[in-house]
């Protein structure tokens, strides 16, 4: 099993550009999450999904959109990137009552 | 706002010593997870403890949970230089699996 994978690993955007981060998991997990981590900080939950076709807001959802069209994929979109969105983004997945598994992260810089 | 707060923020010990870090949270939880993050890397899950459990062990790790005090502790025994990392607790509450992370404890084990 590949576990949780994220693409791309690195990206540099200019202010106002858009992009989509892709997360895929092959563990048949119900729940998926997107977090961001800023230097010296813990992780903050952006959006999450409790099943295919469902999404919900986390702690810091503004400026992001998500979609879960397939159970194994969870997409994070930035419609108009801002420098404040410079961060490392982590995707995670979990079964309903088990441990959460994290992807390796995507390092995003917005100039 | 952060649900979990780790204490201390930073800890430096000698190899072979035990390391204890604490996590306090604000609201009733379903379960609590501890994670390790090596510098610049993704998160690795260590232990999940459910709200009806008081203690769990995994190798050199021991986690306790006191729901009356809304706190948990992670003990690493006989620490090694390879244990140098940041450690985070994450809690899910309100019947959801929306995990909220604390700000972490940075552990440094000196050889």
């Amino acid at each position: 099993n590949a576990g949780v994978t994220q693409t791309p690993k690195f990206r540099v955007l200019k202010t106002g550009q858009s992009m989509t981060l892709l997360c895929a998991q092959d563990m048949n997990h119900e729940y998926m999450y997107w977090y961001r981590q800023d230097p010296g900080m813990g992780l903050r939950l952006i959006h999450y999904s409790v099943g295919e076709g469902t999404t919900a807001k986390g702690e810091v959802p503004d400026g992001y959109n998500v979609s879960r069209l397939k159970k194994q994929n969870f997409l994070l979109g930035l419609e108009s990137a801002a420098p404040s969105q410079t961060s490392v983004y982590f995707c995670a997945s979990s079964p309903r009552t088990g441990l959460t598994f994290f992807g390796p992260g995507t390092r995003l810089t917005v100039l | 706002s952060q649900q979990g707060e780790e204490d201390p923020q930073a800890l430096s010990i000698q190899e072979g010593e035990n390391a204890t870090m604490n996590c306090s949270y604000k609201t009733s939880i379903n379960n609590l997870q501890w994670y390790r993050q090596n510098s610049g890397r993704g998160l690795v899950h260590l232990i999940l403890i459910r709200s009806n459990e008081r203690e769990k062990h995994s190798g050199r790790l021991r986690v306790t949970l006191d729901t009356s005090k809304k706190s948990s502790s992670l003990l690493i025994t006989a620490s090694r230089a390879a244990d140098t990392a940041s450690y985070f607790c994450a809690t899910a509450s309100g019947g959801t699996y929306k995990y909220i992370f604390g700000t972490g404890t940075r552990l440094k084990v000196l050889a």
Side-chain angles (χ1 to χ4, degrees), chain B residues 7-79:
Chain B
D7 170 59
Q9 290 187 344
L11 181 60
S12 184
I13 59 174
Q14 295 291 326
E15 206 167 30
E17 293 181 336
N18 295 341
T20 300
M21 49 206 91
N22 304 296
C23 169
S24 59
Y25 55 91
K26 298 173 184 174
T27 62
S28 297
I29 59 172
N30 304 324
N31 60 62
L32 184 148
Q33 301 190 45
W34 282 94
Y35 288 85
R36 183 185 73 231
Q37 184 180 35
N38 292 92
S39 181
R41 308 290 290 272
L43 280 80
V44 175
H45 61 76
L46 299 175
I47 289 182
L48 179 151
I49 186 165
R50 304 192 191 283
S51 59
N52 61 351
E53 297 175 313
R54 291 296 167 259
E55 187 171 311
K56 288 190 84 168
H57 296 256
S58 177
R60 294 183 297 111
L61 306 180
R62 172 177 169 251
V63 167
T64 61
L65 179 64
D66 187 335
T67 53
S68 66
K69 295 181 179 178
K70 293 187 171 58
S71 68
S72 174
S73 67
L74 170 66
L75 168 67
I76 304 174
T77 60
S79 63

Side-chain angles (χ1 to χ4, degrees), chain A residues 38-106:
Chain A
D38 300 306
M41 300 282 289
L43 279 74
R44 290 184 291 170
L45 181 63
I46 304 171
H47 287 280
Y48 66 105
S49 167
V50 299
E52 182 179 322
T54 71
T55 63
K57 294 180 180 180
E59 299 173 275
V60 289
D62 294 341
Y64 305 94
N65 57 76
V66 288
S67 64
R68 183 111 180 258
L69 299 180
K70 294 182 179 180
K71 186 176 184 179
Q72 63 267 35
N73 295 336
F74 195 29
L75 306 180
L76 177 71
L78 285 72
E79 292 183 344
S80 180
S84 61
Q85 294 177 304
T86 293
S87 190
V88 181
Y89 291 84
F90 289 99
C91 177
S93 71
S94 70
R96 291 189 183 192
T97 57
L99 288 166
T100 306
F101 293 81
F102 280 80
T106 294

